[in-house]
Amino acid sequence: MLDLVLIEPDIPQNLGAVLRLVACIGGAVHVVEPCGFVLDDKKLKRAGMDYIARAEFHRHADWDAFLRHHAAHPGRLLLLETDGARPYSDEAFRPGDYLLLGRESHGTPRDYYLAMDEVLTIPMRPGERSLNVAMAAAIVLAEAMRQQGWKL
């Protein structure tokens, strides 16, 4: 199963939806701070409902703290961004991979790209900017599960 890494999220409802997704399907959610909201925000609790308590959830104070976690828990770093080099569907996902998703309002800082093993994208119609972070996470997680035989 993939671990989902939200880099400096700024929409609490998206984090709540991703926590709910992971509670139902498996994996873990990592949040690289700072966030654009307080993590105990009522909107977060509303979006994640009672699923939040059942999701594996890790907070990292900043990018360097996440990289220290990653060093102790290795796996490929797969960034999902609109400027990705390859479609996510061309990737052979492996257990232990981390799927990183950038900040909703600004994307992923360019210097973070240096740590990535791959930069993937979800193909979209010309002229469209991006998908909702939670929807993008669900699309790629579903493909990873399909490739691994839908095992939970």
Side-chain angles (χ1 to χ4, degrees):
M1 190 57 58
L2 299 177
D3 277 12
L4 302 177
V5 181
L6 302 182
I7 300 170
E8 301 177 7
D10 50 12
I11 300 176
Q13 296 90 334
N14 284 340
L15 175 55
V18 169
L19 286 166
R20 185 174 181 174
L21 174 68
V22 167
C24 291
I25 295 177
V29 175
H30 299 262
V31 171
V32 177
E33 297 189 45
C35 295
F37 55 89
V38 177
L39 276 179
D40 62 359
D41 188 289
K42 285 196 295 189
K43 292 177 185 174
L44 171 64
K45 290 179 183 174
R46 181 173 180 227
M49 300 184 333
D50 58 330
Y51 294 93
I52 292 174
R54 295 192 302 272
E56 185 179 337
F57 179 55
H58 305 275
R59 291 173 68 176
H60 305 281
D62 54 29
W63 180 241
D64 289 334
F66 172 75
L67 290 177
R68 286 190 299 277
H69 169 87
H70 178 254
H73 303 89
R76 294 184 309 153
L77 299 178
L78 308 173
L79 178 62
L80 186 63
E81 271 293 351
T82 56
D83 63 353
R86 294 186 320 120
Y88 75 97
S89 54
D90 289 350
E91 185 62 42
F93 295 100
R94 304 176 202 155
D97 284 346
Y98 292 86
L99 179 66
L100 292 89
L101 299 114
R103 187 173 191 166
E104 294 94 335
S105 61
H106 295 95
T108 304
R110 296 303 295 181
D111 56 328
Y112 289 20
Y113 281 55
L114 299 173
M116 302 305 154
D117 293 294
E118 295 286 344
V119 181
L120 306 172
T121 192
I122 297 173
M124 293 183 292
R125 293 173 40 193
E128 300 304 334
R129 290 187 314 274
S130 65
L131 291 169
N132 172 285
V133 165
M135 292 175 65
I139 289 168
V140 177
L141 187 57
E143 173 59 17
M145 289 178 62
R146 184 196 67 77
Q147 289 180 15
Q148 295 172 28
W150 297 100
K151 298 174 189 158
L152 293 179

